Amino acid sequence: MTYIDVHCHINERDYGDVNALISSIFGGQIAKIITVGYDLPSSEYGKSLAEKYDGVYFTAGFQPTEVKKYKDGDLYKIEELAKHKKCVAIGEIGLDYHYPDTDEALQKYLFGAQIELANSLKMPVQIHSRDCAEDMLNILKQNKQKLEYGAMLHCYSHSPEMAREFEKLGLYFSFGGMSTYKNSKRAKKSIMAISSFRLLSETDSPYLPPSSKCGVFPNTPLSIPEITENMAQLKGVSPQEMASCIWQNAHQFFKKLN
């Protein structure tokens, strides 16, 4: 079986020896990972990793909880990064209303601006969406014509009913370690509700370890087989079938992976 992690955050702060980490990841069945930018420095670091390692790709963008770091001209820098041959998406971008000091207006502005950028570059977007389901659905509906190159909700956490509405817009959905816990009923029901051809696997490393590694930090892309096997059980297929389907979905969605 060949696996892919479509959303992780590789860095020296949490992992120390990144060379050792990358060697361990690619020492088995995991063939490709996408290290995801959440601000300008992390996007630039993702580029440096992608240039160093064959199986590493990256995204560039401002995550909603990081928008206060944004400065005039940063979007141009994200655009330049996105033109790199191994930058596979604009992301992670989106909305997050979880914290009390949320600047919803700024989040919505940068979300819209980055959707516009992705469309102009003919690239997909990786979306972070937490505690904002109605606003997210409305914004994506309003921008449907600008999402023709694809959109993915990472670490999907809304309801299975909302998943059906997002799927009508042609979205993809990635699930991580939280979906493996017995009490993650919403995630499990969502996986069962979504077409297998819209599912992707992620770890969100170094965060969100799967149930077998509960409490472990940092999580790594080596958790992908456990996450994929859980999805296979929920869909009633073999782990090999699920891994193959996810691999094909990822290459269908992220055109620059090919």
Side-chain angles (χ1 to χ4, degrees), residues 69-80:
K69 297 179 182 178
Y70 178 79
K71 300 185 297 291
D72 288 344
D74 283 352
L75 209 56
Y76 172 75
K77 295 176 182 178
I78 293 294
E79 179 178 0
E80 291 305 301

Side-chain angles (χ1 to χ4, degrees), residues 124-168:
V125 293
Q126 275 211 27
I127 298 172
H128 174 110
S129 182
R130 181 162 63 160
D131 298 344
C132 62
E134 293 295 336
D135 273 3
M136 179 59 67
L137 182 59
N138 289 335
I139 289 172
L140 295 182
K141 283 182 176 179
Q142 293 164 11
N143 288 276
K144 184 177 179 180
Q145 299 306 315
K146 299 173 186 174
L147 297 170
E148 63 176 305
Y149 302 103
M152 179 199 100
L153 289 168
H154 109 84
C155 203
Y156 183 76
S157 61
H158 302 309
S159 70
E161 292 77 21
M162 289 298 293
R164 295 187 184 97
E165 296 302 311
F166 287 121
E167 190 169 4
K168 290 176 184 177

Side-chain angles (χ1 to χ4, degrees), residues 84-97:
H84 192 279
K85 65 180 181 180
K86 294 185 78 176
C87 184
V88 298
I90 297 296
E92 60 186 285
I93 65 176
L95 303 175
D96 189 324
Y97 297 168

Side-chain angles (χ1 to χ4, degrees), residues 187-204:
K188 293 179 186 299
K189 288 180 180 178
S190 294
I191 290 169
M192 290 187 283
I194 296 165
S195 165
S196 294
F197 300 105
R198 294 284 165 180
L199 293 175
L200 297 165
S201 57
E202 69 162 279
T203 60
D204 203 17

Side-chain angles (χ1 to χ4, degrees), residues 28-249:
Q29 296 172 307
I30 299 169
K32 295 180 181 180
I33 66 171
I34 300 172
T35 186
V36 173
Y38 51 85
D39 60 8
L40 189 57
S42 61
S43 299
E44 292 171 338
Y45 184 68
K47 172 178 173 286
S48 71
L49 290 179
E51 289 177 338
K52 188 174 182 180
Y53 303 102
D54 288 343
V56 178
Y57 297 79
F58 76 105
T59 73
F62 270 86
Q63 198 249 31
T65 62
E66 305 299 321
V67 295
K68 290 180 181 178
K69 297 179 182 178
Y70 178 79
K71 300 185 297 291
D72 288 344
D74 283 352
L75 209 56
Y76 172 75
K77 295 176 182 178
I78 293 294
E79 179 178 0
E80 291 305 301
L81 286 168
K83 293 176 181 177
H84 192 279
K85 65 180 181 180
K86 294 185 78 176
C87 184
V88 298
I90 297 296
E92 60 186 285
I93 65 176
L95 303 175
D96 189 324
Y97 297 168
H98 184 71
Y99 299 103
D101 62 344
T102 295
D103 187 337
E104 293 185 17
L106 181 56
Q107 285 192 11
K108 289 177 180 178
Y109 165 73
L110 271 181
F111 186 26
Q114 291 179 101
I115 288 175
E116 292 267 7
L117 175 60
N119 186 51
S120 71
L121 295 172
K122 298 183 179 180
M123 294 180 71
V125 293
Q126 275 211 27
I127 298 172
H128 174 110
S129 182
R130 181 162 63 160
D131 298 344
C132 62
E134 293 295 336
D135 273 3
M136 179 59 67
L137 182 59
N138 289 335
I139 289 172
L140 295 182
K141 283 182 176 179
Q142 293 164 11
N143 288 276
K144 184 177 179 180
Q145 299 306 315
K146 299 173 186 174
L147 297 170
E148 63 176 305
Y149 302 103
M152 179 199 100
L153 289 168
H154 109 84
C155 203
Y156 183 76
S157 61
H158 302 309
S159 70
E161 292 77 21
M162 289 298 293
R164 295 187 184 97
E165 296 302 311
F166 287 121
E167 190 169 4
K168 290 176 184 177
L169 297 174
L171 269 65
Y172 284 72
F173 306 78
S174 70
F175 290 86
M178 298 308 293
S179 64
T180 66
Y181 289 82
K182 289 182 178 180
N183 62 351
S184 296
K185 296 178 181 179
R186 176 180 285 192
K188 293 179 186 299
K189 288 180 180 178
S190 294
I191 290 169
M192 290 187 283
I194 296 165
S195 165
S196 294
F197 300 105
R198 294 284 165 180
L199 293 175
L200 297 165
S201 57
E202 69 162 279
T203 60
D204 203 17
S205 301
Y207 315 108
L208 307 182
S211 59
S212 72
K213 300 183 177 82
C214 182
V216 172
F217 186 90
N219 186 27
T220 78
L222 292 169
S223 296
I224 281 291
E226 180 178 349
I227 293 164
T228 303
E229 183 173 345
N230 176 67
M231 294 168 71
Q233 291 174 350
L234 293 169
K235 300 300 283 186
V237 300
S238 70
Q240 184 171 0
E241 287 177 283
M242 194 75 250
S244 177
C245 185
I246 289 172
W247 182 264
Q248 292 176 41
N249 294 346

